[in-house]
Amino acid sequence: MLLKAIRVKKQQNTVDKDNVNVDEPTRNEYIRKLQRMLRCKTVYNMNNYDDTEFAKFRQVLVEEFPILNKKGELMIFGSGCIVYKVKGTTDKNIMLMSHHDVVDANKEEWKYDPFGAEIHDGNIYARGSIDTKTPLFGELQAVEELLSEGYEFPFNVYIASSNNEEICGDGIVIAVEYFKQNNIHFDFVIDEGGAVVDKQMPGISGFTAMVAVHEKGRHTYKCTACKDTGKDSGHSGLTCKTDNPIQRMSDFISEIGTIKWRNCLYDEVKATFKYAAPYMSFPYRYLFSNLNIFEPLLVKVLPKVSPSVSAMLGNTVSFTDIHGKGIYEMVQAKEVSATAFFRCVREDDLFAEVEEKFMPVANKYNITVEPVIRDYCKPASFDNEEFKCIEKTVREIFPRVPVIPFLLTAGSDSRRFTTVAENIYRFAPIVVTSEQFKTIHQPNENISANNIGEVVCFYKQLLKNI
């Protein structure tokens, strides 16, 4: 076991050269364009949608990417989901993605204007600088430059950017329905979700390029408890104290919280440790290079490390809302409903555990269960030409940075493509420190200005490598 840990080989060779750099005038021009995009307050309000800032953002794209807008086809879906298409020489289709809506920002909590895109200590401070206008800028600029150079794409290039990803909106959903109706299938999709980050893996002190090859599915069930009219009158002073919809629903939710869901190391999680092991310090390297031996122990120990690690190992469930109201305050509700929200790594495993563990508890408390949302994305391979293409491009732009596949426990718009795409990956070529990582959806979100050139170079090289 010790010899195996010593001899374990790195999964990819590093490139012995300096990081890709662009000249200062070019970098300054990149920053100027990105700042214009960041200064648009594209916050999607579900209850009171105002298109003013989104229209301003779309106009910025027209002005800053004139060749793309001249040679490409622009489609708008729903209230403002943007899709560009640049026609290639074959029928093969490639999709680049990054949403342009952002979560709101309280100006009082920020050191600088969250929509000012000011540069301080070499970093651009702005909401959306990480999540995810910088990657979107890189995609647009890469295609703009390749078109200006006369490059002929051997495939159709699509760039999609939703205006309501942050609220799980319908922008990309409508676009995908269009693709389905027109028999447009994608050989390769790359979206946000991973990045070049530091301190993300135990035993690795440097940066790692985390490429998500799968994300957890989302399933919701409506759980309903109804009043048994044969047992009580409905009057608060006469109703049975324990056998009523509110009490039964409360007991049901409480007992569901005690269920022990099955944990295991799925292929994506095993791959994370396998790819990371050669770069780890001891004892982590010893542990994860002998994964086949330590797997039973890790399945028991890892859930105790943190909730995020635990979420990688199996199904989770939480109740997101509960409703029930009597005719007036002294009459108990005749019906109480609650929404059970499941996240799963494998859909079949979820269905099996719902039947085995969830439904018996529901039946015990006379709760009816109805599936509402089924939102599952097929995992992509981390052992094919598409993943190797991403890996190769990372090595070329970010030398000496290991590439590690992983399971995304959050969510991205790319999951919507599972019916029209085979290879869906989640990686943006942004360099994010552990401190910057903490600012996502939080005050003082920022990104290094020097990273902007690398972002553009990555997407240009990726399109050439594909």
Side-chain angles (χ1 to χ4, degrees):
M1 291 166 64
L2 183 60
L3 286 173
K4 186 175 181 180
I6 294 172
R7 293 174 178 173
V8 65
K9 294 182 179 180
K10 296 179 180 180
Q11 301 300 316
Q12 64 277 333
N13 296 319
T14 55
V15 179
D16 188 19
K17 67 174 183 178
D18 293 333
N19 287 15
V20 173
N21 286 312
V22 297
D23 58 65
E24 187 173 351
T26 301
R27 183 172 63 251
N28 290 340
E29 179 65 5
Y30 288 168
I31 292 171
R32 183 193 65 79
K33 288 187 175 185
L34 177 59
Q35 285 176 315
R36 287 197 68 191
M37 294 168 64
L38 293 169
R39 286 167 181 158
C40 298
K41 191 177 180 180
T42 50
V43 178
Y44 192 98
N45 188 323
M46 187 186 309
N47 298 319
N48 185 26
Y49 178 63
D50 184 347
D51 191 56
T52 304
E53 289 293 318
F54 290 91
K56 177 182 173 183
F57 180 83
R58 294 193 294 271
Q59 183 60 32
V60 169
L61 301 191
V62 171
E63 295 171 1
E64 296 295 350
F65 306 101
I67 301 175
L68 172 60
N69 279 276
K70 180 180 179 181
K71 294 187 176 183
E73 176 188 359
L74 174 61
M75 295 173 279
I76 305 293
F77 296 96
S79 59
C81 176
I82 299 166
V83 177
Y84 281 102
K85 176 187 176 182
V86 177
K87 190 168 179 56
T89 57
T90 69
D91 292 333
K92 185 177 181 180
N93 299 305
I94 302 299
M95 172 62 77
L96 310 178
M97 298 178 64
S98 281
H99 63 87
H100 61 277
D101 65 315
V102 299
V103 299
D104 208 350
N106 184 346
K107 191 173 182 179
E108 301 301 318
E109 298 176 345
W110 284 61
K111 291 190 291 186
Y112 314 105
D113 182 355
F115 295 98
E118 301 175 21
I119 300 178
H120 297 276
D121 299 323
N123 297 319
I124 304 174
Y125 282 78
R127 176 61 84 223
S129 55
I130 295 177
D131 186 16
T132 58
K133 287 182 180 177
T134 299
L136 176 60
F137 161 75
E139 294 165 352
L140 296 167
Q141 184 64 29
V143 174
E144 177 84 0
E145 291 184 12
L146 289 171
L147 288 173
S148 71
E149 296 165 7
Y151 183 80
E152 287 192 2
F153 293 100
F155 40 72
N156 300 317
V157 181
Y158 288 80
I159 302 176
S161 181
S162 173
N163 66 325
N164 54 16
E165 188 270 355
E166 293 291 1
I167 61 163
C168 298
D170 62 355
I172 287 295
V173 176
I174 298 172
V176 168
E177 188 59 34
Y178 166 83
F179 297 138
K180 289 171 65 176
Q181 291 174 357
N182 289 273
N183 296 316
I184 299 172
H185 188 86
F186 295 91
D187 298 270
F188 184 95
V189 175
I190 187 166
D191 192 9
E192 53 131 350
V196 180
V197 290
D198 72 338
K199 301 177 183 177
Q200 291 296 299
M201 293 296 300
I204 301 180
S205 58
F207 284 87
T208 52
M210 306 298 295
V211 182
V213 296
H214 187 31
E215 68 178 73
K216 295 191 76 172
R218 307 165 183 221
H219 292 64
T220 63
Y221 292 83
K222 181 180 179 181
C223 306
T224 306
C226 294
K227 172 187 168 184
D228 186 344
T229 55
K231 290 187 178 182
D232 60 69
S233 68
H235 191 285
S236 299
L238 300 174
T239 301
C240 175
K241 293 182 179 179
T242 58
D243 191 11
N244 61 70
I246 292 177
Q247 188 65 51
R248 294 204 320 273
M249 182 62 73
S250 300
D251 292 341
F252 165 67
I253 293 174
S254 179
E255 187 164 338
I256 291 297
T258 67
I259 291 178
K260 300 296 183 183
W261 304 98
R262 184 177 69 89
N263 288 327
C264 70
L265 295 182
Y266 287 91
D267 290 344
E268 299 86 346
V269 181
K270 287 183 180 179
T272 299
F273 296 132
K274 178 183 176 183
Y275 276 66
Y279 305 92
M280 290 178 168
S281 58
F282 279 87
Y284 297 104
R285 186 173 181 180
Y286 177 79
L287 183 67
F288 292 114
S289 61
N290 292 286
L291 196 59
N292 59 323
I293 297 173
F294 289 112
E295 182 174 347
L297 175 64
L298 290 170
V299 168
K300 293 182 179 180
V301 173
L302 287 175
K304 300 177 182 178
V305 174
S306 72
S308 58
V309 174
S310 179
M312 296 169 59
L313 305 182
N315 300 319
T316 59
V317 61
S318 60
F319 287 87
T320 56
D321 58 50
I322 185 167
H323 300 279
K325 187 176 182 180
I327 300 173
Y328 54 93
E329 71 177 62
M330 288 181 289
V331 176
Q332 289 181 335
K334 293 183 179 181
E335 179 178 298
V336 177
S337 64
T339 301
F341 176 52
F342 282 91
R343 299 297 306 274
C344 67
V345 182
R346 294 288 186 273
E347 196 174 50
D348 290 345
D349 290 349
L350 171 65
F351 293 152
E353 288 208 291
V354 166
E355 286 299 318
E356 177 188 348
K357 300 176 180 179
F358 190 81
M359 290 306 300
V361 181
N363 293 334
K364 176 181 175 180
Y365 294 102
N366 195 22
I367 306 289
T368 60
V369 177
E370 176 187 1
V372 179
I373 295 176
R374 179 183 178 185
D375 188 354
Y376 180 72
C377 181
K378 296 179 295 185
S381 174
F382 45 85
D383 189 25
N384 60 6
E385 290 304 315
E386 287 75 16
F387 183 83
K388 291 175 182 177
C389 179
I390 297 174
E391 190 177 62
K392 179 177 185 290
T393 308
V394 171
R395 294 202 310 270
E396 291 170 339
I397 307 302
F398 303 99
R400 295 174 292 278
V401 174
V403 179
I404 300 175
F406 80 106
L407 167 69
L408 181 66
T409 56
S412 70
D413 261 340
S414 61
R415 73 183 188 277
R416 314 289 194 180
F417 279 77
T418 193
T419 57
V420 294
E422 293 300 321
N423 302 288
I424 303 173
Y425 299 95
R426 301 149 189 87
F427 173 77
I430 50 177
V431 178
V432 182
T433 66
S434 56
E435 291 304 312
Q436 289 172 323
F437 187 83
K438 296 175 184 176
T439 67
I440 300 174
H441 290 194
Q442 300 298 323
N444 303 314
E445 182 180 349
N446 70 93
I447 194 166
S448 170
N450 287 332
N451 182 212
I452 311 306
E454 294 171 326
V455 173
V456 177
C457 291
F458 174 88
Y459 286 116
K460 286 184 70 174
Q461 194 61 37
L462 178 69
L463 290 169
K464 291 180 179 179
N465 288 341
I466 294 173

